[in-house]
Amino acid sequence: AEVIALNDGIARRPLGEEFVKNAPLAEVKALLSSQGLPTDYIDIPFTAFLVVNGNRKILMDTGFADNGGPTTGRLLANLAAAGHKPEDIDTVVITHYHGDHINGLRRKDGSWVYPNAKVMVPEPEHA
């Protein structure tokens, strides 16, 4: 099987105490600074995964499609860059019901992004 990471974009958030629970914010900022990284914000990536196994194409999570902010919605372009089309996907596995995992199932106009896919969700999440 081949596993392809498909970035859907990022969200930039202010760096606060809530991002690292086991270290003081000052230590986190010092480490980021020592690596040449910004210390006042953090970029949160949104990444789905495509599993290609023979003729099967299983997409794990869907990103935002056209339902997110201006720095999201890149999954379909990255899927195409990897040589696949939405119609190729036969299964979509939704890991959990956060927006960055499920909003890419439908476009704003209500149409299905992956029209040939069976959508699967873990029973505990759906319950």
Side-chain angles (χ1 to χ4, degrees):
E2 178 182 15
V3 179
I4 304 167
L6 300 167
N7 182 269
D8 189 53
I10 63 159
R12 182 164 285 176
R13 303 276 188 250
L15 179 60
E17 301 278 348
E18 71 278 6
F19 283 103
V20 180
K21 301 282 187 186
N22 63 345
L25 184 58
E27 282 183 32
V28 173
K29 287 185 173 193
L31 179 60
L32 290 169
S33 179
S34 75
Q35 300 301 307
L37 297 170
T39 59
D40 56 342
Y41 65 86
I42 187 165
D43 286 335
I44 302 168
F46 304 115
T47 306
F49 295 90
L50 176 64
V51 178
V52 180
N53 191 3
N55 291 332
R56 299 281 321 269
K57 292 182 178 65
I58 304 161
L59 182 64
M60 298 175 63
D61 295 323
T62 63
F64 287 99
D66 60 356
N67 298 297
T71 58
T72 66
R74 294 178 170 89
L75 192 146
L76 292 178
N78 288 323
L79 181 68
H84 303 281
K85 301 178 297 219
E87 298 79 19
D88 297 338
I89 307 301
D90 58 73
T91 306
V92 172
V93 176
I94 299 295
T95 60
H96 60 283
Y97 287 157
H98 284 173
D100 58 309
H101 296 257
I102 196 168
N103 284 347
L105 282 172
R106 289 182 185 253
R107 295 177 186 86
K108 282 183 182 178
D109 68 7
S111 63
W112 289 105
V113 175
Y114 307 98
N116 300 319
K118 177 180 181 179
V119 178
M120 302 175 78
V121 179
E123 181 62 34
E125 180 65 19
H126 190 64

